[in-house]
Amino acid sequence: MSMLKIKIAAPAGFGIMSMGPLLAKVLKRYGFYVMGYPEYPSLIRGGYNSYLLMISDEPVYSPYEKTDILLTYSKLSFDKEDLKSDTIVIADFEKLRVDKSNLNCKVYDIPFAKTVKEEGLPDIVQNIIGIAYLCKGMGIDISVLKEVLKGALSDKVLEVNYKAAECGYRLCTEHFVNVEWEKRDLNEHIIMTGNEVAATSAITAGVNFYSTYPMTPASTVLHFLAKYAKDYNIIVKHTEDEIAGITMAIGAAYAGARAMTGTSGGGFSLMVEGLGLAAITETPLVLFISQRPGPATGMPTWQEQADLRFVLHASQDEFVRAVFTPGDLKELFYAVFDAFNIAEKYQIPVFVLSDKYLSESIFMEDGFKTEGLKIDRGYIFEGDKSDPMNLFPRYKEYKDGIPKRAFPGTPGGIHKTPSNEHDEYGFVSDDAFIRKEQQERRFRKLENLVKEMPTPLLYGDETADITFVSWGSTKTVLFEAMKYEKNFNFIHFPSIYPIDWKSTKGLLETRKKLILIENNFTGQLGGIIAENTGVFIEDKFLKYDGRPFFVEEVLNILKRVS
């Protein structure tokens, strides 16, 4: 396996979040696998932004700590980055006022600022000059870069960026890095962020209403759906706050739409009252929650997986919900699709729990198979035109605890839908018998729902001595670490509730040594496993510094415990 890690760094406002994906597309088109991980502070301008690209001749799943090539436009790089003697640093040292003679790394001093001034180009295209310099240094023909630029930029700015690219190629006079690896035909592969995949899956599932207030790192789901709203007949509403976001989605679902909302933990805090409304009214609702560090505002643009218990227990009292915890793009795609079917079939709120790392990083996949995917809208009352004004028992059990839905305007479907406890017709009631009857009916949904949720799976050598236990996006770093160390495997939870804990317990108990790996302080999945199985995982590998796990960290843990 060949591997190269390139980091691009610049102040916010310099286009760093566009440069990373743009270079990734160039590398994919050239025939390399690529994965991209962005870091940025919550600032409009200034600060320190970086985009790390992992490039390989094999599929690559997660980020590494070590950087091989650093293209930087920020003086802060020389304080923040761990530069080794073999690290290549490309920068305009005169512009940054950095004494390169004191650096213990390979230096390429490129006059970006002087070049744009001499060529009459805007300062911003220094980023394209740098990308072009990198491409030339890797032996990539300029035609590949220009082709990607043409697809990414408007005609209005294309010529300026072409000129910048030519400047970068002219400045680079050598192939300073060897990437003479075997190239693949990756034209059929896609390169997308997790949020783009979540939105694409929602479109595949027939979403026709999405409402929310934007909140990092879930915001780009809103942007993506808004971009394609007209193409797919979707109402996309940027609401005044998260409370309106969830209640509008509930209203739309009540009226018959396939509805979804999305936010992060802080926004979901505001949505909780609405969540209870969806539960008591048995209104289907998909909630896409992308986690970040908290509490309160926390670290808005960074990584954590600490909202698991929150979504499992949010709202007063207890009710049936479903929680998916996908680990990669494919699981995310099918989780969102299934979430819509389960929400409507069981008439419950369904969560798809992502995080900043999975939502905003770019990954490559060989596509998603949609053959066989079927939209299931559940039990719906078709109407009775012979008796259009008849009352309808909306909350009477039809099958397995599930009633039939009657959309507004359905002949013979007259009923009430209160936030109070109610009888079969929706009339408010605090009668003890009715309360008990309705609660027992709602919980009867669990028996079949648990059979439809994905179960924990074991990946790797079944006889390995060490087994990591994970959920969500930590799956990707464990897959990457398996390229270097074979004496471990891992159990991944693609969903947490409801699942078959009896078989899960059997899977856990047959392992030799368990290590919990989670992006939170308390090991939330470990606690949930202990509560439901009695299996207590003593060895924990927990990270809560706002960053995802890096491959080297997993390998170091394996060295310590082996």
Side-chain angles (χ1 to χ4, degrees), residues 261-310:
T261 187
T263 186
S264 188
F268 180 58
S269 297
L270 297 172
M271 290 183 174
V272 169
E273 190 170 352
L275 176 70
L277 178 65
I280 192 69
T281 60
E282 296 179 69
T283 306
L285 183 65
V286 175
L287 299 101
F288 178 78
I289 310 293
S290 187
Q291 301 162 95
R292 71 189 204 190
T297 307
M299 294 163 60
T301 60
W302 297 88
Q303 162 71 7
E304 197 143 300
Q305 296 178 299
D307 293 336
L308 177 58
R309 282 196 178 275
F310 183 29

Side-chain angles (χ1 to χ4, degrees), residues 9-11 47-49 70-78 91 96 98:
Y48 187 68
N49 286 228
L70 173 66
L71 167 63
T72 182
Y73 302 86
S74 172
K75 191 175 182 179
L76 287 173
S77 284
F78 301 95
L96 296 181
V98 173

Side-chain angles (χ1 to χ4, degrees), residues 326-357:
D328 53 31
L329 289 194
K330 278 195 173 171
E331 280 188 349
L332 180 58
F333 181 85
Y334 295 113
V336 171
F337 187 91
D338 291 344
F340 277 95
N341 280 350
I342 285 176
E344 292 206 311
K345 184 174 179 181
Y346 291 92
Q347 299 170 31
I348 58 172
V350 179
F351 293 88
V352 178
L353 205 50
S354 181
D355 54 51
K356 186 265 179 184
Y357 163 62

Side-chain angles (χ1 to χ4, degrees), residues 64-210:
Y64 290 68
E65 287 182 312
K66 184 178 183 298
T67 300
D68 298 314
I69 301 176
L70 173 66
L71 167 63
T72 182
Y73 302 86
S74 172
K75 191 175 182 179
L76 287 173
S77 284
F78 301 95
D79 298 325
K80 289 182 172 291
E81 302 296 338
D82 183 16
L83 302 177
K84 307 291 187 186
S85 60
D86 60 347
T87 307
I88 294 172
V89 178
I90 304 166
D92 187 340
F93 286 88
E94 182 179 348
K95 170 76 173 177
L96 296 181
R97 297 180 182 175
V98 173
D99 184 358
K100 59 187 179 185
S101 64
N102 291 330
L103 298 174
N104 182 29
C105 56
K106 297 179 181 177
V107 168
Y108 286 77
D109 187 359
I110 312 303
F112 293 127
K114 183 181 175 185
T115 301
V116 294
K117 188 175 181 181
E118 289 176 350
E119 297 291 334
L121 295 168
D123 277 351
I124 190 65
V125 298
Q126 290 183 52
N127 53 24
I128 296 299
I129 295 175
I131 294 288
Y133 187 94
L134 262 175
C135 290
K136 174 74 178 295
M138 298 172 69
I140 299 172
D141 193 88
I142 194 170
S143 62
V144 182
L145 174 58
K146 284 189 172 181
E147 194 177 341
V148 171
L149 286 172
K150 188 175 182 180
L153 303 175
S154 68
D155 292 342
K156 192 167 62 175
V157 297
L158 194 56
E159 284 305 318
V160 169
N161 283 277
Y162 275 178
K163 190 174 179 182
E166 288 160 2
C167 287
Y169 268 74
R170 196 164 56 246
L171 287 169
C172 183
T173 57
E174 60 174 316
H175 292 171
F176 54 84
V177 59
N178 177 25
V179 287
E180 296 300 322
W181 314 331
E182 183 180 356
K183 298 175 183 62
R184 319 281 182 176
D185 181 0
L186 300 173
N187 287 331
E188 299 301 317
H189 282 58
I190 58 170
I191 184 165
M192 298 177 80
T193 67
N195 280 355
E196 289 170 342
V197 167
T200 302
S201 177
I203 292 171
T204 307
V207 65
N208 45 26
F209 191 92
Y210 186 82

Side-chain angles (χ1 to χ4, degrees), residues 1 13 23 71 131 271 405 411 428 447 453 520-521 545 562:
M1 177 186 68
L23 180 57
L71 167 63
I131 294 288
M271 290 183 174
R405 287 193 289 160
V428 171
E447 184 176 344
M453 298 296 287
N520 58 58
F521 183 80
D545 62 358
S562 296

